[in-house]
Amino acid sequence: MRIAGIGGSYFLRFIKGTVDPLFTTYIVLYLLVRGFRSLSLPLPWVNNWLTDFLFIPVAAHLSLSFTRYIVLRNTGYTYPLYYLLLMALYTALVFELIVPCYVSSSVADWGDVAAYFAGALFYYQVHQRKTH
């Protein structure tokens, strides 16, 4: 079976390679934070920086899984640290420098910047190594 020009077996490996206990934890934590926010019951520290911390690991894991299983077809490939730090830098520039200039409800926060970089380091040191 072929899905959108991608060999079905590669697509299934991509899905299996993406969904792991840490990735599932990221998604569950994100949904809990969003759920508490929607109930007007934000959890102070968690509400402020956890989703920012999780952003880079989620984005990196999805892109790394795509690279491993669809592009390179090499499950041993890992991102070097500087790729992850560049992802954090780009994210910080966009969401903490550019977006607040154009969206009145968006506010730049150095805590968010620190969370992006901490998430990148966590992904490099913990998650990527567990899936390698």
Side-chain angles (χ1 to χ4, degrees), residues 22-36:
L22 282 171
F23 183 75
T24 303
T25 300
Y26 304 153
I27 301 305
V28 168
L29 287 172
Y30 177 80
L31 292 173
L32 282 172
V33 168
R34 296 299 297 180
F36 277 104

Side-chain angles (χ1 to χ4, degrees), residues 26 52-57 84 114-124:
Y26 304 153
D52 298 310
F53 175 83
L54 295 175
F55 182 80
I56 297 299
L84 298 166
Y116 299 140
F117 280 93
L121 292 172
F122 172 82
Y123 188 77
Y124 180 77

Side-chain angles (χ1 to χ4, degrees), residues 8-109:
S9 64
Y10 290 108
F11 182 75
L12 291 175
R13 284 188 216 152
F14 165 72
I15 297 298
K16 288 179 185 176
T18 302
V19 179
D20 64 27
L22 282 171
F23 183 75
T24 303
T25 300
Y26 304 153
I27 301 305
V28 168
L29 287 172
Y30 177 80
L31 292 173
L32 282 172
V33 168
R34 296 299 297 180
F36 277 104
R37 283 182 191 167
S38 71
L39 296 171
S40 298
L41 297 169
L43 307 170
W45 187 85
V46 171
N47 188 61
N48 293 341
W49 295 294
L50 182 62
T51 54
D52 298 310
F53 175 83
L54 295 175
F55 182 80
I56 297 299
V58 167
H61 189 63
L62 288 171
S63 66
L64 180 61
S65 294
F66 184 80
T67 301
R68 282 179 174 171
Y69 296 98
I70 305 298
V71 177
L72 298 179
R73 298 180 182 170
N74 174 359
T75 59
Y77 178 76
T78 60
Y79 282 153
L81 179 58
Y82 78 92
Y83 276 27
L84 298 166
L85 295 176
L86 283 173
M87 287 178 76
L89 177 63
Y90 179 77
T91 302
L93 289 173
V94 170
F95 290 109
E96 306 305 324
L97 184 65
I98 296 170
V99 170
C101 292
Y102 298 99
V103 179
S104 61
S105 62
S106 181
V107 178
D109 179 5

